[in-house]
């Protein structure tokens, strides 16, 4: 890949799943951990204000699903664990739900802190972070996972704590990763023109949304990713080439 893609960018904005982190870690480790632990987590922490806020968001989402006639598990009462079947459904369908992602981040925190979880990153990630910082780049993350989950993933990684390299994080509170408006908001939040940003992702719909705002884009082709079709976007298989 030509160096000009990174040379023209002051900001590097990264997706996580399939870009910095193997998809297998997300679907094979993180999701099953949250699914297994959610019942006991809610039993213990359901009265906490932040958890209650997540549950309320999920209730609103549930009401929309019911109104749309979706075949979903029943949420029958207000008990601590009543939401668990619906949460399991959202996890199984990989719903990009802000309430779910926020709750998952809280569940994963316990696993990271007690050493049960150690996030996996591709081996070129840490060296690239170090190189980009030396070159004066500023690094940000945009993921459907909550900001809390993003920070935990980079703090408790097998490569060590990489949060020192990252300036900021964006999640679905900013908007959908497949909508151009989200990338406009990110550029405004950082305080730069979109053309100063390079966004790397394995999802072409996200790249199209970013490109529509003037952001530079690269398609991440990693082992284990769902598709190799870049739909014409420039392709990288390692950050060594950026």
């Amino acid at each position: 890949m030509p160096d000009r893609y990174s040379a023209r960018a002051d900001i590097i904005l990264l997706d996580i799943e399939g870009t910095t982190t193997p998809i297998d870690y997300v679907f094979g480790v993180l999701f099953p951990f949250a699914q297994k632990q959610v019942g006991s987590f809610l039993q213990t922490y359901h009265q906490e204000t932040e958890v209650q806020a997540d549950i309320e968001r999920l209730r609103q989402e549930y009401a929309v699903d019911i109104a749309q006639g979706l075949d979903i598990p029943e949420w029958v009462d207000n008990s601590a664990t009543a939401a668990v079947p619906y949460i399991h459904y959202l996890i199984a369908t990989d719903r990009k739900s802000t309430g779910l992602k926020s709750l998952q981040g809280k569940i994963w925190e316990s696993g990271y802190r007690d050493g049960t979880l150690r996030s996996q990153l591709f081996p070129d990630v840490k060296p690239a972070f170090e190189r980009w910082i030396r070159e004066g780049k500023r690094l940000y993350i945009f993921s459907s996972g909550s900001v809390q989950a993003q920070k935990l993933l980079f703090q408790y990684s097998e490569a060590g704590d990489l949060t020192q390299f990252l300036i900021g994080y964006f999640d679905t509170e900013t908007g959908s990763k497949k909508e151009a408006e989200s990338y406009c908001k990110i550029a405004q939040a950082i305080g730069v023109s979109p053309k100063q940003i390079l966004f790397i992702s394995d999802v072409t719909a996200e790249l199209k949304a970013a490109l529509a705002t003037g952001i530079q884009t690269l398609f991440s082709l990693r082992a284990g990713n769902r598709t190799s079709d870049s739909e014409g976007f420039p392709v990288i298989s390692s950050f060594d080439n950026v």
Side-chain angles (χ1 to χ4, degrees):
M1 186 208 74
D3 289 340
R4 63 186 178 90
Y5 290 108
S6 62
R8 294 187 291 114
D10 300 313
I11 306 296
I12 296 180
L13 180 66
L14 300 169
D15 168 52
I16 290 180
E17 181 184 312
T19 300
T20 66
T21 299
I23 287 178
D24 283 349
Y25 175 69
V26 177
F27 282 88
V29 177
L30 288 182
F31 283 6
F33 183 87
Q35 186 162 15
K36 181 179 179 180
Q37 298 295 326
V38 64
S40 59
F41 179 88
L42 290 178
Q43 191 72 52
T44 303
Y45 299 107
H46 71 281
Q47 293 291 359
E48 292 196 359
T49 301
E50 291 185 355
V51 175
Q52 284 289 312
D54 292 338
I55 295 299
E56 180 55 31
R57 279 179 163 171
L58 290 170
R59 282 187 182 280
Q60 294 171 7
E61 194 167 342
Y62 179 83
V64 171
D65 286 350
I66 290 293
Q68 292 177 344
L70 298 184
D71 182 16
I72 58 176
E74 285 189 323
W75 190 331
V76 294
D77 57 41
N78 293 321
S79 64
T81 59
V84 169
Y86 181 60
I87 292 169
H88 283 173
Y89 163 80
L90 295 179
I91 293 173
T93 56
D94 191 22
R95 177 83 66 86
K96 307 304 182 184
S97 160
T98 300
L100 171 67
K101 297 301 181 181
S102 179
L103 185 63
Q104 283 177 318
K106 295 176 178 65
I107 296 170
W108 292 330
E109 181 174 12
S110 63
Y112 280 116
R113 292 194 184 282
D114 70 15
T116 303
L117 296 175
R118 277 294 177 269
S119 56
Q120 299 169 19
L121 301 172
F122 292 111
D124 53 275
V125 171
K126 183 178 181 180
F129 280 14
E130 293 170 336
R131 184 177 71 256
W132 290 336
I133 294 298
R134 289 196 303 269
E135 294 171 353
K137 312 297 183 186
R138 289 181 284 161
L139 312 184
Y140 292 81
I141 302 296
F142 185 23
S143 172
S144 58
S146 68
V147 166
Q148 179 189 20
Q150 296 174 36
K151 290 179 178 179
L152 290 167
L153 186 142
F154 287 103
Q155 181 179 359
Y156 293 98
S157 83
E158 293 175 345
D161 184 354
L162 303 191
T163 57
Q164 61 183 306
F165 301 107
L166 296 164
I167 292 180
Y169 309 81
F170 299 93
D171 60 15
T172 53
E173 294 280 3
T174 298
S176 168
K177 295 181 72 182
K178 297 179 181 180
E179 295 179 1
E181 182 181 1
S182 302
Y183 298 89
C184 290
K185 289 180 179 178
I186 288 173
Q188 290 170 358
I190 296 173
V192 299
S193 167
K195 65 182 180 181
Q196 294 175 264
I197 302 174
L198 170 64
F199 177 52
I200 306 176
S201 173
D202 65 318
V203 179
T204 55
E206 297 173 5
L207 297 178
K208 290 174 183 176
L211 185 64
T213 71
I215 287 176
Q216 302 170 58
T217 52
L218 292 174
F219 180 79
S220 175
L221 180 59
R222 298 284 198 172
N225 282 12
R226 294 167 179 166
T227 179
S228 60
D229 184 4
S230 70
E231 298 187 39
F233 286 98
V235 176
I236 60 164
S237 58
S238 168
F239 288 163
D240 292 342
N241 300 320
V242 180

Coordinates of all heavy atoms in Angstrom, one line a residue, residues 175-218:
G175 N -23.2 7.7 17.1 CA -24.1 7.3 16.0 C -23.7 6.0 15.3 O -22.7 5.4 15.7
S176 N -24.4 5.6 14.3 CA -24.1 4.4 13.6 C -22.8 4.5 12.8 O -22.5 5.5 12.3 CB -25.3 4.0 12.7 OG -24.9 3.0 11.8
K177 N -22.1 3.4 12.8 CA -20.8 3.4 12.1 C -21.1 3.4 10.6 O -20.1 3.6 9.8 CB -20.0 2.2 12.5 CG -19.5 2.3 13.9 CD -18.6 1.1 14.3 CE -17.3 1.1 13.6 NZ -16.4 -0.1 13.9
K178 N -22.3 3.2 10.2 CA -22.6 3.1 8.7 C -23.3 4.4 8.2 O -23.9 4.4 7.2 CB -23.5 1.9 8.5 CG -22.8 0.6 8.8 CD -23.7 -0.6 8.5 CE -23.0 -2.0 8.9 NZ -23.8 -3.2 8.6
E179 N -23.3 5.4 9.1 CA -23.9 6.7 8.7 C -22.8 7.8 8.6 O -22.0 8.0 9.5 CB -25.0 7.1 9.7 CG -26.2 6.1 9.6 CD -27.3 6.5 10.6 OE1 -27.1 7.5 11.3 OE2 -28.3 5.8 10.7
A180 N -22.8 8.6 7.6 CA -21.8 9.6 7.3 C -21.9 10.6 8.5 O -20.8 11.2 8.9 CB -22.1 10.3 6.0
E181 N -23.0 10.9 9.0 CA -23.2 11.9 10.1 C -22.3 11.6 11.3 O -21.7 12.5 11.9 CB -24.6 12.1 10.5 CG -24.8 13.1 11.6 CD -26.3 13.2 12.0 OE1 -27.1 12.4 11.5 OE2 -26.6 14.1 12.9
S182 N -22.1 10.3 11.5 CA -21.3 9.9 12.7 C -19.8 10.4 12.5 O -19.2 10.8 13.4 CB -21.3 8.4 12.9 OG -22.6 8.0 13.1
Y183 N -19.3 10.3 11.3 CA -17.9 10.7 11.0 C -17.8 12.2 11.0 O -16.7 12.7 11.4 CB -17.5 10.0 9.7 CG -17.5 8.5 9.8 CD1 -18.7 7.8 9.4 CD2 -16.5 7.8 10.3 CE1 -18.8 6.4 9.6 CE2 -16.5 6.4 10.4 CZ -17.7 5.7 10.1 OH -17.8 4.4 10.2
C184 N -18.8 12.9 10.6 CA -18.8 14.4 10.7 C -18.7 14.8 12.2 O -17.9 15.7 12.5 CB -20.0 15.0 10.1 SG -20.1 14.9 8.3
K185 N -19.4 14.1 13.0 CA -19.4 14.4 14.4 C -18.0 14.1 15.0 O -17.5 14.9 15.9 CB -20.5 13.6 15.2 CG -21.9 14.0 14.9 CD -22.8 13.1 15.7 CE -24.3 13.5 15.5 NZ -25.2 12.6 16.2
I186 N -17.4 13.0 14.6 CA -16.1 12.7 15.1 C -15.1 13.7 14.7 O -14.2 14.2 15.5 CB -15.7 11.3 14.6 CG1 -16.5 10.2 15.3 CG2 -14.2 11.0 14.8 CD1 -16.3 8.8 14.7
A187 N -15.1 14.1 13.4 CA -14.2 15.2 13.0 C -14.4 16.5 13.8 O -13.4 17.1 14.2 CB -14.4 15.4 11.5
Q188 N -15.6 16.8 14.0 CA -15.9 18.0 14.8 C -15.4 17.9 16.2 O -14.9 18.8 16.8 CB -17.4 18.3 14.8 CG -17.9 18.7 13.4 CD -19.5 18.8 13.4 OE1 -20.1 18.4 14.3 NE2 -20.0 19.2 12.2
A189 N -15.6 16.7 16.8 CA -15.2 16.5 18.2 C -13.7 16.6 18.3 O -13.1 17.1 19.3 CB -15.7 15.1 18.7
I190 N -13.0 16.0 17.3 CA -11.5 16.1 17.4 C -11.0 17.5 17.0 O -9.9 17.9 17.5 CB -10.9 15.0 16.4 CG1 -11.3 13.6 16.8 CG2 -9.4 15.2 16.3 CD1 -10.9 12.5 15.8
G191 N -11.8 18.2 16.2 CA -11.4 19.5 15.8 C -10.5 19.6 14.6 O -9.6 20.5 14.5
V192 N -10.8 18.7 13.6 CA -10.0 18.7 12.4 C -10.9 18.5 11.2 O -12.1 18.2 11.4 CB -9.0 17.5 12.4 CG1 -8.0 17.6 13.5 CG2 -9.7 16.2 12.4
S193 N -10.4 18.8 10.0 CA -11.1 18.6 8.8 C -11.2 17.1 8.5 O -10.2 16.3 8.8 CB -10.4 19.3 7.6 OG -10.9 18.8 6.4
P194 N -12.3 16.5 8.0 CA -12.4 15.1 7.7 C -11.2 14.6 6.9 O -10.7 13.5 7.1 CB -13.7 15.0 6.9 CG -14.5 16.0 7.5 CD -13.6 17.2 7.7
K195 N -10.7 15.4 6.0 CA -9.6 15.0 5.1 C -8.3 14.7 5.8 O -7.4 14.1 5.3 CB -9.4 16.0 4.0 CG -8.9 17.3 4.4 CD -8.7 18.3 3.2 CE -8.2 19.6 3.7 NZ -8.1 20.6 2.5
Q196 N -8.2 15.2 7.1 CA -7.0 14.9 7.9 C -7.1 13.6 8.6 O -6.2 13.2 9.3 CB -6.9 16.0 8.9 CG -6.6 17.4 8.3 CD -6.5 18.5 9.4 OE1 -7.5 19.2 9.6 NE2 -5.4 18.6 10.1
I197 N -8.2 12.9 8.5 CA -8.4 11.6 9.2 C -8.3 10.4 8.2 O -8.8 10.4 7.1 CB -9.8 11.6 9.8 CG1 -10.0 12.7 10.8 CG2 -10.1 10.2 10.5 CD1 -11.4 12.8 11.3
L198 N -7.6 9.4 8.7 CA -7.6 8.1 8.0 C -8.3 7.1 8.8 O -8.0 6.9 10.0 CB -6.1 7.6 7.8 CG -5.9 6.2 7.3 CD1 -6.4 6.0 5.9 CD2 -4.4 5.8 7.4
F199 N -9.4 6.5 8.3 CA -10.2 5.5 9.0 C -9.9 4.1 8.4 O -9.9 3.9 7.2 CB -11.7 5.8 8.8 CG -12.6 4.8 9.4 CD1 -12.4 4.4 10.7 CD2 -13.7 4.3 8.7 CE1 -13.3 3.5 11.3 CE2 -14.5 3.4 9.3 CZ -14.4 3.0 10.6
I200 N -9.6 3.1 9.3 CA -9.3 1.8 8.8 C -10.4 0.8 9.4 O -10.6 0.8 10.6 CB -7.9 1.3 9.3 CG1 -6.9 2.3 8.8 CG2 -7.6 -0.1 8.7 CD1 -5.5 2.0 9.3
S201 N -11.0 0.0 8.6 CA -12.1 -0.9 9.0 C -12.2 -2.1 8.1 O -11.7 -2.0 6.9 CB -13.4 -0.1 9.1 OG -14.5 -1.0 9.3
D202 N -12.8 -3.1 8.6 CA -13.0 -4.3 7.7 C -14.4 -4.3 7.1 O -14.8 -5.3 6.5 CB -12.8 -5.6 8.5 CG -13.8 -5.8 9.6 OD1 -14.1 -4.8 10.3 OD2 -14.2 -6.9 9.8
V203 N -15.2 -3.3 7.4 CA -16.6 -3.2 6.9 C -16.7 -2.1 5.9 O -16.6 -1.0 6.2 CB -17.6 -3.0 8.1 CG1 -19.0 -2.9 7.6 CG2 -17.4 -4.1 9.1
T204 N -17.0 -2.5 4.6 CA -17.1 -1.5 3.5 C -18.2 -0.5 3.7 O -18.1 0.6 3.3 CB -17.2 -2.2 2.2 OG1 -18.4 -3.1 2.2 CG2 -16.0 -3.0 1.8
A205 N -19.3 -0.9 4.3 CA -20.4 0.1 4.6 C -19.9 1.2 5.5 O -20.3 2.4 5.3 CB -21.6 -0.6 5.2
E206 N -19.1 0.9 6.4 CA -18.5 1.9 7.3 C -17.5 2.8 6.5 O -17.5 4.0 6.7 CB -17.8 1.3 8.5 CG -18.7 0.5 9.4 CD -17.9 -0.3 10.4 OE1 -16.7 -0.2 10.6 OE2 -18.6 -1.1 11.2
L207 N -16.7 2.2 5.7 CA -15.8 2.9 4.8 C -16.5 3.9 3.9 O -16.1 5.0 3.7 CB -14.9 2.0 4.1 CG -14.0 1.1 4.9 CD1 -13.1 0.2 4.0 CD2 -13.0 1.9 5.8
K208 N -17.6 3.4 3.3 CA -18.4 4.3 2.4 C -18.9 5.5 3.2 O -18.9 6.6 2.6 CB -19.5 3.4 1.8 CG -19.1 2.4 0.8 CD -20.3 1.5 0.4 CE -19.8 0.4 -0.6 NZ -20.9 -0.5 -1.0
A209 N -19.4 5.3 4.4 CA -20.0 6.4 5.2 C -18.9 7.4 5.5 O -19.1 8.6 5.4 CB -20.6 5.8 6.4
A210 N -17.7 6.9 5.9 CA -16.6 7.8 6.2 C -16.1 8.5 4.9 O -15.9 9.7 5.0 CB -15.4 7.0 6.8
L211 N -16.0 7.8 3.8 CA -15.5 8.4 2.6 C -16.4 9.5 2.1 O -16.0 10.5 1.5 CB -15.4 7.3 1.5 CG -14.8 7.8 0.2 CD1 -13.3 8.2 0.3 CD2 -14.9 6.6 -0.8
A212 N -17.7 9.4 2.4 CA -18.7 10.4 2.0 C -18.4 11.7 2.6 O -18.9 12.8 2.1 CB -20.1 9.9 2.3
T213 N -17.7 11.7 3.7 CA -17.4 13.0 4.4 C -16.1 13.6 4.1 O -15.7 14.6 4.5 CB -17.5 12.8 6.0 OG1 -16.3 12.0 6.3 CG2 -18.7 12.1 6.4
G214 N -15.3 12.8 3.3 CA -14.0 13.3 2.9 C -12.9 12.6 3.7 O -11.7 12.9 3.4
I215 N -13.2 11.7 4.6 CA -12.2 11.0 5.3 C -11.5 10.0 4.4 O -12.1 9.3 3.6 CB -12.9 10.2 6.5 CG1 -13.3 11.3 7.6 CG2 -12.0 9.2 7.1 CD1 -14.0 10.7 8.8
Q216 N -10.2 9.8 4.6 CA -9.4 8.8 3.9 C -9.8 7.4 4.5 O -10.0 7.3 5.7 CB -7.9 9.0 4.1 CG -7.5 10.4 3.6 CD -6.1 10.7 4.0 OE1 -5.2 10.0 3.6 NE2 -5.9 11.8 4.7
T217 N -9.7 6.4 3.6 CA -10.2 5.1 4.1 C -9.3 3.9 3.6 O -8.7 4.0 2.5 CB -11.6 4.8 3.6 OG1 -11.6 5.0 2.2 CG2 -12.6 5.7 4.3
L218 N -9.2 2.9 4.4 CA -8.4 1.7 4.1 C -9.2 0.5 4.5 O -9.8 0.5 5.6 CB -7.1 1.6 4.7 CG -6.0 2.7 4.2 CD1 -4.8 2.6 5.1 CD2 -5.7 2.4 2.7

